[in-house]
Amino acid sequence: MDIRSQISMVFHLDKCIGCHTCSIACKNIWTDRKGAEYMWWNNVETKPGTGYPGKWEDQLIYKGGWEKQDNVLSLKGAGKRKGLSNIFHNPNMPVIDDYYEPFTYKYLDLIESPAGDDQPTARPVSLITGDPIDIKMGPNWDDDLSGSPDYARKDPNLANLSPAEQEAMFQLERMAFFYLPRICNHCLNPACVASCPSGAIYKRGEDGIVLINQNECRAWRMCVTGCPYKKSYYNWHSGKSEKCILCYPRIEAGHAPACMHSCVGRIRYLGVILYDADKIEAAALADEANLIDQQLDILQDPFDPEVIESAKQNGVADSTIRAAQFSPVYKFVKKWGMALPLHAEWRTLPMLFYVPPLLPVMASLSEVDNTEQAAKMGDIAKHWDDNWLYDTSTEELWGSIEQARFPLQYMANLFSAGDTEKVKTVIKKLMAVRIYRRWKTVGDISEEKSNETLQQAGLTASTAEDIYYLTSLAKFDDRFVIPAAHREQAIEMLEDTGDKKGSAGFGFKEGTARRGP
Amino acid sequence: MNTLNNFLFIALPYIAIVVFLVGNIYRYVSTQFTYSSLSAQFLEDKQGFWGTVPFHIGILMLFLGHLAIFLFPEATLAWNSNPVRLIIHEGIAFTFGLTVLIALIGLMLRRLFNKRLRVVTSKMDIVIELLLLTQVILGCWIALGYRWGTSWFAADLTPYLWSIFQFDPQIQAVSALPLVIKLHIVGAFVIVLIFPFTRLVHFLVAPIHYLWRPYQVVIWYWDKQKIRKSSTAWTSHRPQNN
Ligand code: SF4
Ligand code: SF4
């Protein structure tokens, strides 16, 4: 047992409203610079959709992540042999046009144009060349475009759905979508670190944040290929790669990362997870069928005395262990089993977990005869000549899951490496809590039914209350349990903080002439 | 003439070596952030492939070839003593020269005609590009016009280069060489001289150590195990301010 601590996250997808506030908060702080304009360390995409960069999930194109062959784990498109032999030209790297050409508008023209017959316009110009361009792509170009042939239907996660299933998914009447906010997952088996020939990328031992040392990066660009989530970006201006730093300066000061702090839907949770580093290798090499189980198995119970003992031996601070015990991430992922990693099959062991969305699954569509209803409406009332009923009733307990508007396989492709049973379990829990609360607040569901649902989902009433609280009512301090960084200990390693008593205090350390050094 | 030869073949190489050493070390220590291959693949991918791959392989082989003759002149002469082997040797060297020449021209045209790439092209990039181009043209010219370079390099130039490193420069043989060859030699020293001021520095930080490094890198900011106990708190690092 080798217990370490990791700052880990949960995103609750039912709550995301797709407002992109998170992306803007991040951009304003970190990537509003030359060469970084195109980077969105935090981006929000619509699913089904191709995402950013286009089709990033299609590893036949980008060759990201790890693959297991004959019980050996190797990087799909990088690594010692492949990386070094492709060092002059990386054949699997996305280029700027796979993201988009960054642009701005010539706003000054609106003010400075001479008087004329026509309104002045602010033309879009490229942020690379400065030339006027026709904007072809943006970081969220597929926003809300479910069903569209160019975006939604090219979603790589549709690959193993039958044509009929795909068609059904995109029928106008049934169409649904949800938002998928993404940041770097600060993985336990990061492919970006492993693929960097310079050794510039590293994982911080204390909190597991993955960073790129800007002084050591030499622009070999292998991390861009290595990361299957495409969360390492190449800065074309500075010739260095950059990625999400999980706002570590904020975390060290006890603040939530900017994207999480600003999140309008309050979908984001952050806390410490204690994990067993000895289990990483086995989990990364797990069989297809056990991927999720083994990846979650690394995460340990922070109340287990053995775990605490081992953590202490490794020097994890008491305050960190306490933070782990209050961690919302631990609750969602381990205690309640409601959050899953995104694309576990890439074997980077991501430390960002998602509560899969219930809403696009839940409602079902049934055909009904609407003529009677339509006849009741007056001439001016607008009504449609269709006979679909968008049915969110909870009559059939799990019926709507089976006949979901979204095939469960699609959700499973994203969140449980294709295993539909796993997402189904989670969705049942989400649904059970919903039914339970509906009994409590609306009252149109009987107590027996509510209890039956809870029981079938494996929850108790008090757990359901806890889940409800953390989902809907949680305050800032419930959502973000950030351990102290103990910078003072780091400072004490470098300086004896006691021996300068009585000397000049701020900024410099020389003694005065009169008193001597 | 003598002064000029003295300058070009004695002073210049020493200046170049000193500037190379001091410049590179200083740049590495003070502004390591500037050490980057500055790859432009991200802005232009497809044409670049046909330029950058042959260029890098070619120039690397040419560099290693020159280095080998400098290090093992006898072995080179012995290999070249058989005319068939000599021709093979020269043929391979010339092919790489030609490869680099074509690739360099291609890369230059690519920079010239792609607006995005012009944005990331510095003045020093142009200088070094033209210098390399001249150097390769001269090299190919020498290979064709002054046969057999691999042999007379080993016989004449290797002793000269060694004499520089032994601080006893012997320039008689070089001084007598035709102008084209002299230019090629001077060009080489100029490249060494301006090397630390160009993007070529990425050659010095080629990531060879990747081969023996473990894949994952974890860095601990401090040894928490020790710092937790007062008895061992300051045993691994001494505080730096006393
Ligand atoms: S998500 Fe990508 S960039 Fe982030 S740690 Fe994992 S492999 Fe590295
Ligand atoms: S700020 Fe929150 S709710 Fe808005 S898009 Fe981002 S994650 Fe979703």
Side-chain angles (χ1 to χ4, degrees), chain A residues 15-22 44 181 262-268:
Chain A
K15 300 176 72 187
C16 179
I17 57 172
C19 62
H20 300 271
T21 309
C22 45
V44 183
S262 63
C263 176
V264 173
R266 304 184 180 183
I267 80 154
R268 300 181 175 217

Side-chain angles (χ1 to χ4, degrees), chain A residues 4 38 66 79-80 84 87-90 93-97 99 101 128-129 131 189-190 193-199 201-206 214-221 234 236 239-240 313 315-318 485-486 489-490 492-496 499, chain B residues 28 31-46 48-49 52-53 56-57 60 115-116 119-120 202-203 205-225 227-228 233-234 236-242:
Chain A
R4 301 181 186 176
Y38 85 93
W66 300 88
K80 293 185 184 182
L84 288 181
I87 200 143
F88 304 138
H89 179 273
N90 179 352
M93 192 179 82
V95 293
I96 183 84
D97 295 312
Y99 300 82
E101 179 158 6
I128 300 177
T129 60
D131 290 345
N189 185 30
V193 176
S195 61
C196 174
S198 309
I201 315 185
Y202 62 99
K203 193 171 178 68
R204 300 213 298 193
E206 286 76 15
Q214 292 289 298
N215 271 345
E216 276 180 31
C217 172
R218 309 275 179 244
W220 308 125
R221 321 169 299 289
Y234 180 66
W236 53 266
K240 304 275 164 170
Q313 262 172 26
V316 177
D318 293 346
H486 292 292
Q489 295 183 341
E492 280 169 6
M493 289 298 288
L494 301 173
E495 298 178 4
D496 184 345
D499 75 356
Chain B
Y28 190 81
T31 54
Q32 214 198 121
F33 185 64
T34 63
Y35 269 67
S36 163
S37 70
L38 295 173
S39 161
Q41 191 196 339
F42 185 68
L43 296 178
E44 200 292 312
D45 186 28
K46 296 206 170 60
F49 171 78
T52 179
V53 176
H56 277 97
I57 294 176
L60 214 61
K115 185 86 194 282
R116 287 179 183 170
V119 174
V120 290
H202 72 272
F203 171 66
V205 288
I208 312 291
H209 57 291
Y210 187 38
L211 286 172
W212 51 87
R213 178 197 107 195
Y215 270 126
Q216 296 300 1
V217 183
V218 179
I219 296 182
W220 299 81
Y221 273 164
W222 64 90
D223 187 341
K224 271 192 178 170
Q225 229 162 320
I227 211 157
R228 273 176 85 93
W234 282 320
S236 61
H237 291 64
R238 262 183 70 73
Q240 283 173 356
N241 64 346
N242 54 11

Side-chain angles (χ1 to χ4, degrees), chain B residues 69-70 72-74 76-77 80 149-159:
Chain B
I69 303 181
F70 168 66
F72 313 109
E74 267 105 56
T76 311
L77 287 174
N80 282 352
T150 49
S151 286
W152 57 249
F153 185 125
D156 287 353
L157 285 183
T158 300

